[in-house]
Amino acid sequence: MQLENYQLADHNQQGLDAHKRKLSSWTDSVANAETIIQKLIDFQIAIPSWALGTGGTRFGRFPGGGEPRSLEEKIADVGLLHALNRASGAISLHIPWDIPQDPEAIKQLASQHGLRFDAVNSNTFQDQPDAPLSYKFGSLQHTDAGVRRQAIEHNIEVIKHGVALGSDSLTVWLSDGSSFPGQLNFRKAFNRTLDGLGEIYAALPDDWKMFVEYKAFEPNFYSTTVGDWGSSYLYASKLGPKAYTLVDLGHHLPNANIEQIVAILLNEGKLGGFHFNDSKYGDDDLTTGSVKPYQLFLIFNELVDGMDERGMNHATGLGWMIDASHNVKDPLEDLLQSVEAIQLAYAQALLVDRAALEEAREANDVVRAQEILQEAFRTDVRPLVAEARLRAGGALQPLALFRSLNIRQQLISERGLKTVATGL
């Protein structure tokens, strides 16, 4: 379904007076309020096609109804999100689930919704029905050269689909690893993986990027061949200037200092992008900012500081994307919440007094440094985010409008109760 202009206008009119009162304290007294609003308007977060439906657990799936049944319906759902918040202007596809039968028609459809195609994602962590060989014991690390060749050719196929759609980056996440001591020769696994990534890298167009994603565990629990940011950085460094590390916030061991990882990768020019989510125990894929909002802010604090130091454009310098799994929430509602949480953390990071913070650091004034960060984090920046949405043509309160229009029930009426959006 599509959001009508009058529906947006009616919703915004109802909340406009209250919004203006909340915003006035910002525009009247904060010197850089207009700058922050413009940066928020420019900042877009890609929506992954697999997050538009219900995610599975190890024990099963609980479909919520109205999930998109095709690539066209996935684009329509992201278009709906973008119409509501004006901050979801890109979609990230996962091959082989999202193979376009008519790339030009798909590009036109995305354009009609104001969307571009973000990174394309390969899948060598599942066996596909038409694949002759299995990834049970890995893909690029596999002892069988035939399996490795199959994985390489799949990634090259994904690049071709991305080129046809106007994407400019490939994300490679490998589940390769081992579950028991002695199962794997670590050095051979590393070298085979590097060789495979090298062939895929050679197939990249000149203006493309490769994002090498890492993960500490799951589905293998003894070792993972690209298990941490160091191994990803090593691969990216060996591959060349078009290869970067991708940070998924859930792909770390408990209590990892992700903000420090981000700072170092930025310093080395090897941070490529993000998969935003949140976690309590592991790779929980929860709503961004729902469990550790202060950590999210601290990560953005390092992002803003490091990107400014390198003269990078906040909106385009890195790849920004959500990666979540929805088991108990409406997927579209969850994505609206995640996008807003990302915007809030970004806006708070833009408020940090960087000169004062650096002065406190140089003086070893630990208390002052903490106060500067927490003052920004505790500031309610929701009026700035809402104003950015309003100016961009979105809803003051996207989630409230989504519910008031009963959009999920409309999608169920159109698509049914038992549709499935993803192969996960």
Side-chain angles (χ1 to χ4, degrees):
M1 62 165 292
Q2 284 192 318
L3 196 64
E4 300 294 341
N5 289 335
Y6 78 87
Q7 294 171 320
L8 269 171
D10 289 348
H11 165 82
N12 288 337
Q13 189 58 45
Q14 291 173 22
L16 192 58
D17 289 343
H19 166 68
K20 287 182 175 179
R21 287 194 297 272
K22 294 175 183 177
L23 183 67
S24 61
S25 61
W26 282 98
T27 54
D28 292 345
S29 60
V30 179
N32 62 339
E34 286 296 325
T35 300
I36 293 174
I37 291 169
Q38 187 58 53
K39 286 181 179 293
L40 286 166
I41 292 172
D42 296 338
F43 196 79
Q44 298 291 312
I45 300 119
I47 303 297
S49 63
W50 61 91
L52 298 166
T54 307
T57 72
R58 287 189 179 89
F59 304 101
R61 183 196 300 275
F62 304 94
E67 297 185 17
R69 299 161 296 182
S70 63
L71 177 53
E72 288 80 0
E73 289 184 351
K74 291 174 183 179
I75 291 172
D77 280 7
V78 178
L80 175 62
L81 293 174
H82 189 48
L84 287 164
N85 63 25
R86 304 309 299 173
S88 305
I91 181 171
S92 182
L93 302 188
H94 209 158
I95 309 298
W97 303 326
D98 302 318
I99 295 177
Q101 299 305 311
D102 185 341
E104 283 303 317
I106 290 297
K107 283 176 65 176
Q108 289 178 18
L109 179 63
S111 179
Q112 290 168 13
H113 288 281
L115 305 179
R116 64 177 179 83
F117 288 94
D118 201 75
V120 284
N121 303 262
S122 59
N123 182 337
T124 61
F125 56 85
Q126 288 179 315
D127 287 346
Q128 303 304 324
D130 58 345
L133 300 172
S134 174
Y135 298 127
K136 180 176 181 179
F137 296 107
S139 59
L140 295 183
Q141 74 168 28
H142 206 287
T143 55
D144 185 335
V147 176
R148 299 199 297 273
R149 173 53 49 195
Q150 178 178 281
I152 291 167
E153 290 176 354
H154 166 69
N155 275 275
I156 293 173
E157 177 193 0
V158 173
I159 293 170
K160 292 177 180 177
H161 287 306
V163 169
L165 293 173
S167 175
D168 61 5
S169 52
L170 168 73
T171 298
V172 180
W173 175 69
L174 305 172
S175 67
D176 295 24
S178 63
S179 289
F180 297 97
Q183 175 184 340
L184 195 66
N185 183 307
F186 297 138
R187 290 177 290 104
K188 287 184 178 179
F190 178 90
N191 290 327
R192 287 169 178 155
T193 300
L194 180 61
D195 289 345
L197 288 173
E199 288 195 52
I200 298 165
Y201 182 90
L204 290 173
D206 291 341
D207 58 346
W208 269 52
K209 296 178 180 179
M210 175 191 284
F211 299 143
V212 182
E213 189 173 356
Y214 60 90
K215 188 176 183 180
F217 61 92
E218 193 189 38
N220 287 290
F221 289 94
Y222 179 66
S223 73
T224 307
T225 300
V226 193
D228 57 22
W229 71 274
S231 56
S232 172
Y233 172 76
L234 191 57
Y235 282 118
S237 297
K238 287 177 175 290
L239 289 169
K242 293 186 289 186
Y244 299 83
T245 290
L246 184 140
V247 175
D248 184 306
L249 299 191
H251 286 191
H252 303 84
L253 294 173
N255 301 314
N257 191 325
I258 302 174
E259 50 268 38
Q260 184 179 22
I261 294 170
V262 166
I264 294 171
L265 287 171
L266 262 177
N267 186 68
E268 297 303 307
K270 278 297 182 181
L271 181 63
F274 272 84
H275 282 179
F276 289 104
N277 49 54
D278 212 335
S279 66
K280 178 66 174 177
Y281 299 106
D283 187 24
D284 305 340
D285 274 347
L286 301 176
T287 316
T288 308
S290 61
V291 180
K292 302 171 184 174
Y294 190 51
Q295 181 189 61
L296 182 63
F297 159 75
L298 293 175
I299 290 167
F300 264 103
N301 177 59
E302 295 299 334
L303 285 168
V304 169
D305 188 59
M307 293 183 79
D308 286 350
E309 178 71 20
R310 297 182 66 85
M312 297 171 67
N313 185 300
H314 292 185
T316 61
L318 298 175
W320 312 105
M321 198 183 87
I322 292 170
D323 183 8
S325 181
H326 318 290
N327 300 312
V328 297
K329 285 182 177 180
D330 181 304
L332 298 182
E333 291 187 347
D334 186 287
L335 289 164
L336 288 172
Q337 288 181 312
S338 283
V339 169
E340 180 156 20
I342 293 166
Q343 291 176 301
L344 293 172
Y346 175 47
Q348 288 167 331
L350 292 172
L351 285 176
V352 173
D353 187 337
R354 306 217 164 267
L357 179 59
E358 199 57 32
E359 183 179 320
R361 288 168 170 169
E362 290 297 316
N364 293 312
D365 190 340
V366 181
V367 171
R368 178 63 181 145
Q370 177 183 323
E371 287 298 304
I372 290 169
L373 288 181
Q374 292 195 347
E375 181 179 352
F377 174 68
R378 290 168 176 159
T379 302
D380 184 0
V381 294
R382 287 177 296 179
L384 293 180
V385 173
E387 179 65 13
R389 280 195 297 264
L390 185 66
R391 293 188 190 183
L396 280 172
Q397 299 294 332
L399 182 56
L401 181 54
F402 180 92
R403 288 196 161 191
S404 69
L405 295 177
N406 208 9
I407 288 175
R408 177 54 59 185
Q409 190 56 50
Q410 293 186 54
L411 293 174
I412 291 172
S413 298
E414 294 173 9
R415 302 171 182 173
L417 275 170
K418 300 296 183 181
T419 56
V420 176
T422 176
L424 283 176

